[in-house]
Amino acid sequence: MQTFGHPDEFWQSVEVAHNQVFDYGYLTWEWEKSSPIRSPVFPGLFALYYSILKTLNIDTPWLVAHGPRVIHSLI
């Protein structure tokens, strides 16, 4: 079974969280630091996950890429 992935799931959540925790990555104009227009609550869930990985020094590419998919599916 195939599913449909919407780009906003990535650009408005996971990519923003990655940028917050690891200080690199792409942000769309809605997330510019000078005048953000989106709520940080939803990306904050993933930022918490990434922060835990970073703190425990287990931020492997596999966990960084696939962990948010599991979180999305649970939500």
Side-chain angles (χ1 to χ4, degrees):
M1 176 181 205
Q2 283 189 315
T3 61
F4 176 78
H6 196 277
D8 268 355
E9 290 177 8
F10 180 78
W11 292 108
Q12 303 303 333
S13 61
V14 178
E15 187 67 24
V16 176
H18 185 276
N19 185 284
Q20 290 173 345
V21 175
F22 298 108
D23 294 323
Y24 72 94
Y26 298 103
L27 293 177
T28 59
W29 66 271
E30 296 103 336
W31 295 100
E32 291 295 323
K33 294 187 189 288
S34 61
S35 59
I37 64 168
R38 299 247 182 201
S39 170
V41 174
F42 187 59
L45 297 172
F46 303 105
L48 176 63
Y49 168 73
Y50 285 149
S51 295
I52 292 169
L53 292 181
K54 186 176 179 182
T55 301
L56 297 176
N57 200 26
I58 56 172
D59 52 343
T60 64
W62 196 91
L63 287 174
V64 169
H66 296 288
R69 293 178 183 177
V70 173
I71 295 170
H72 263 137
S73 67
L74 294 173
I75 292 173

